[in-house]
Amino acid sequence: MPFEFSAGDSVWYYEESMGNVHASIKDIWNYLFVSSDSISDSGYVFYLSLLSKITGYSILLPRLVNSIFSAITVLLIYLLAKRNVGEEGGRLAAVFTCFMPNLIFYCGMHLKESFMVFLLIAFLERSDYLLRSKNYNVLTIIIPVLLGVSLFSFRTVLGGAAIFSFVTALVFTNTSVVGRVKRIMLIAWGMLAVVTLTGGVITTEVQATWEDRESNQDAKRSIQTARGNQWAKYATGTVMAPMMFVMPFPTMVDVDEQYNQQMISGGNYVRNFFGGFVLIAVFSAIFITKNWRNLSLIGSFVIAYLGIISSSGFANSERFLLPALPCLLIIAAYGVTLLNAKNYKFIKIWYWVVPVMSFAWAFFSNKTKKLKK
């Protein structure tokens, strides 16, 4: 079939959208957002359903459209990075994003990742523009709000992390960047938006996700351990959180029916190497240049989202970690611009650390395979 190996969600997305081809937009909206108890994933099904009214039953055309949105994401990454880390860093970030294997991988699938990442980066770029621009109006405020709310209909924790990043940037960004009057106005407007959403489906889902975070992680670890993944019993949030900037690790062991992980293995290896430049950028922003306040939008999103994922039981799941990748590429590009003779010594050490980490992960995976046999 024209889907990836062991396709699950992608087939469901396609079948749901095909079932809505002849339905009215009002009926589709009521089905996905009004009568449903959960809106997570509803946004992507709604998008595919609208697209199917143009493309019909085609499987290829929606993927081409997703590729277009992924290409626009590269442009948005350049604009976002340019304002935060300079022209050179912006161009590097755009190049990194354009040629990142993981992002290319999802363009040819029916999964939601390409369009979801586009919405996320559009939200961060428009939010950053709103914070930094001296000229703002109703439109420049409404667009990031709508983009932020739409993220909840793709992945609840993603929307929560995005809103948290905007609030954090609004509080910590220097007054020279965000004027005092604008700061007060946006805080008041944000509080009004929160009050409006309180009690709705979004708030209910966020609250349920937060309350069930520990039980979900324990259940996930128990399932993995029962399948023979003995390392999973140690994969607590405390253990996984310090490694989130460089994860996921590549799969270099032939595990049965793990074909998608084998295909994306090289991309994960690239992510591991970029992690060294991310660490340089983070260290420099906090202790050397001390400009972390003006990078708080991107940084707080990465920390919030990866922090949530590290406590969810999906800490090494490439698909769940993907939304943070574009922001990590911006931070990595900033790290490259900061390279000098002193910190390049760390990168040369990192050349050895990454293969050791990959080998250690392969060792655990191989041990798991033997236990299963």
Side-chain angles (χ1 to χ4, degrees):
M1 60 181 180
F3 292 89
E4 70 276 10
F5 297 106
S6 303
D9 289 350
S10 55
V11 176
W12 181 78
Y13 291 141
Y14 175 73
E15 292 177 346
E16 282 287 302
S17 63
M18 291 304 98
N20 295 326
V21 170
H22 301 295
S24 67
I25 296 178
K26 180 180 179 181
D27 289 340
I28 297 173
W29 180 270
N30 289 334
Y31 167 64
L32 294 173
F33 296 103
V34 178
S35 60
S36 177
D37 295 331
S38 173
I39 66 168
S40 185
D41 279 340
S42 297
Y44 187 61
V45 176
F46 183 74
Y47 156 73
L48 282 182
S49 299
L50 295 181
L51 199 59
S52 67
K53 293 183 176 297
I54 302 173
T55 61
Y57 292 93
S58 172
I59 291 178
L60 178 62
L61 290 179
R63 301 182 187 183
L64 292 175
V65 174
N66 280 345
S67 297
I68 293 174
F69 281 115
S70 192
I72 297 174
T73 301
V74 176
L75 174 62
L76 295 177
I77 284 288
Y78 164 73
L79 296 175
L80 177 61
K82 179 182 177 181
R83 288 196 294 267
N84 283 268
V85 299
E87 174 72 20
E88 184 181 11
R91 294 190 179 195
L92 281 172
V95 171
F96 292 167
T97 305
C98 182
F99 292 103
M100 189 64 201
N102 302 59
L103 297 176
I104 297 173
F105 179 73
Y106 286 98
C107 288
M109 294 185 175
H110 240 76
L111 293 171
K112 64 183 178 181
E113 270 63 28
S114 291
F115 190 67
M116 181 173 66
V117 169
F118 160 75
L119 290 177
L120 169 65
I121 299 304
F123 166 78
L124 293 176
E125 193 278 328
R126 287 293 84 191
S127 297
D128 183 73
Y129 176 82
L130 174 62
L131 290 172
R132 295 175 183 272
S133 176
K134 297 185 181 299
N135 300 318
Y136 55 93
N137 50 44
V138 175
L139 186 63
T140 57
I141 296 175
I142 290 295
I143 289 177
V145 170
L146 294 178
L147 289 169
V149 172
S150 71
L151 291 174
F152 286 94
S153 65
F154 282 75
R155 186 173 292 162
T156 305
V157 297
L158 184 65
I163 299 301
F164 172 81
S165 67
F166 178 76
V167 174
T168 303
L170 192 58
V171 172
F172 287 102
T173 303
N174 289 329
T175 307
S176 58
V177 177
V178 181
R180 190 181 303 276
V181 175
K182 183 198 287 189
R183 193 193 303 271
I184 296 174
M185 184 270 294
L186 290 178
I187 290 176
W189 208 89
M191 292 176 63
L192 178 63
V194 170
V195 172
T196 302
L197 291 173
T198 301
V201 177
I202 292 177
T203 305
T204 303
E205 284 197 34
V206 172
Q207 183 177 358
T209 302
W210 176 257
E211 291 177 349
D212 297 340
R213 67 192 187 282
E214 293 183 1
S215 59
N216 289 340
Q217 186 187 35
D218 292 339
K220 179 69 175 178
R221 293 208 315 271
S222 299
I223 293 173
Q224 291 175 326
T225 304
R227 291 176 178 175
N229 299 330
Q230 298 302 311
W231 60 269
K233 71 176 82 172
Y234 306 110
T236 62
T238 304
V239 174
M240 304 305 289
M243 300 186 289
M244 295 305 290
F245 283 137
V246 300
M247 294 182 76
F249 296 119
T251 300
M252 298 184 180
V253 177
D254 183 19
V255 180
D256 292 339
E257 299 183 5
Q258 295 293 327
Y259 308 117
N260 289 317
Q261 291 188 22
Q262 292 172 5
M263 290 182 66
I264 207 67
S265 176
N268 291 346
Y269 198 67
V270 173
R271 289 188 63 161
N272 297 155
F273 267 101
F274 274 134
F277 300 107
V278 171
L279 294 177
I280 287 179
V282 171
F283 180 83
S284 177
I286 296 176
F287 298 106
I288 301 177
T289 59
K290 298 182 180 180
N291 63 336
W292 63 271
R293 287 179 175 272
N294 294 336
L295 300 174
S296 57
L297 178 68
I298 298 173
S300 60
F301 169 76
V302 170
I303 293 173
Y305 183 74
L306 292 182
I308 294 171
I309 297 301
S310 69
S311 302
S312 67
F314 296 94
N316 197 57
S317 173
E318 188 276 337
R319 187 178 169 193
F320 278 85
L321 293 172
L322 186 76
L325 177 57
C327 293
L328 288 174
L329 292 177
I330 294 177
I331 300 174
Y334 181 49
V336 172
T337 64
L338 297 173
L339 278 182
N340 53 42
K342 185 177 181 179
N343 56 32
Y344 185 65
K345 295 178 180 178
F346 168 77
I347 293 298
K348 289 195 289 186
I349 297 174
W350 191 252
Y351 292 158
W352 292 92
V353 172
V354 172
V356 170
M357 291 191 302
S358 301
F359 178 82
W361 181 254
F363 172 80
F364 284 116
S365 300
N366 190 44
K367 185 176 181 181
T368 297
K369 182 181 177 183
K370 290 180 179 179
L371 287 171
K372 291 175 70 175
K373 287 183 177 180

